[in-house]
Amino acid sequence: MTQPGEATTASVSSVCGALAHSLSALFTCSPQGDMVRIRTPFLYPDGDVIDLYCRETAGGGMTVTDLGETTRWLRMQTAASRRSQRQDALIHDTAMNHGVEFFRGALQARHRQGEDFAAIVTRVSQAALRVSDLWFTFRTRSVASAAQEVAEFLDERRIEYAAAERLPGRSGRSWVIDFHTRTRERSALVTVLATGSRGAAHSVAERTLAAWYDLSHMKVGPEPVTLISLFDDTVDVWSESDFKLVEDLSEVARWSDPEGFEGFLRTAA
């Protein structure tokens, strides 16, 4: 009689057989030009399927690659046109931990004669999944790192700026403004509104309103300054009332629309 906690040879064989059959069915292959597309059971965070591709290399070898789709997907989740050095380091570390090469934006691994092809497909699949998970670090980043992303954007677009400038308001209180920018046509003060908490979002907007009210005298005179509220709307925490709260005193820009934000910085009023 089988004791509790013991498995018979027959039951182990049955479980392993069923598992092997089910798992193999989760991966499907189909021709794609001069390559074979491997549809995996893994998903990007937004639900898209992770596909890999197998192609022959010189000498009869094979390479399994994502053709750069993972980093392309990741790039679409942020307004920055380039990855930061920290993001690149995380991608390289993830690839190395899974025994995968990160080359020209693609995750890939060679299949050599005698090696287990399924193990290589699994390694590349896991690397793609882990790299795509970096998206969650973008969504939950701190206000400081959101401001760093904006600074990188300003550097890319060659827009002069001073960061974390302290300015006195009419009330006598000083306000630290994220960016003071200057282009040929206009100067602007930019506050980055960023939070990972829906409950804190309205308070962030109210604080920005108070700053703009106290600094509104800078909008007039021979050298007027444009006030810009830049919402980090890549995180879904803002309500329409938050945008409306600051729109009477400032231009409202959204980080999901970097071209529109740049337009506020460059175009004369």
Side-chain angles (χ1 to χ4, degrees), residues 248-262:
D248 286 341
L249 290 176
S250 67
E251 304 282 4
V252 175
R254 305 187 185 219
W255 191 222
S256 62
D257 178 19
E259 305 302 328
F261 171 51
E262 184 177 8

Side-chain angles (χ1 to χ4, degrees), residues 40-171:
T40 77
F42 302 109
L43 304 174
Y44 292 118
D46 65 351
D48 283 350
V49 176
I50 295 177
D51 286 333
L52 302 181
Y53 298 84
C54 180
R55 61 187 178 194
E56 286 192 63
T57 56
M62 303 286 286
T63 293
V64 177
T65 174
D66 72 340
L67 293 181
E69 286 299 324
T70 303
T71 52
R72 192 158 27 248
W73 180 90
L74 197 61
R75 187 171 63 249
M76 296 301 294
Q77 312 311 310
T78 175
S81 59
R82 294 188 307 178
R83 293 187 300 272
S84 68
Q85 289 184 351
R86 178 175 176 273
Q87 291 163 4
D88 271 336
L90 289 171
I91 292 172
H92 279 283
D93 287 346
T94 301
M96 185 166 47
N97 288 339
H98 287 87
V100 170
E101 184 178 11
F102 182 56
F103 181 69
R104 290 185 175 177
L107 298 165
Q108 47 195 338
R110 297 178 180 86
H111 173 250
R112 299 178 177 87
Q113 189 172 3
E115 290 184 323
D116 185 351
F117 184 76
I120 295 173
V121 170
T122 300
R123 290 205 321 262
V124 180
S125 297
Q126 288 178 321
L129 188 62
R130 294 285 76 82
V131 168
S132 69
D133 281 347
L134 294 177
W135 176 63
F136 293 106
T137 69
F138 301 164
R139 293 192 64 196
T140 58
R141 67 190 184 281
S142 67
V143 174
S145 56
Q148 178 59 38
E149 192 172 304
V150 176
E152 291 174 0
F153 174 83
L154 296 175
D155 288 334
E156 289 173 5
R157 304 302 171 98
R158 299 182 182 277
I159 295 175
E160 292 184 287
Y161 67 89
E165 194 169 65
R166 185 177 293 276
L167 299 172
R170 290 178 298 177
S171 67

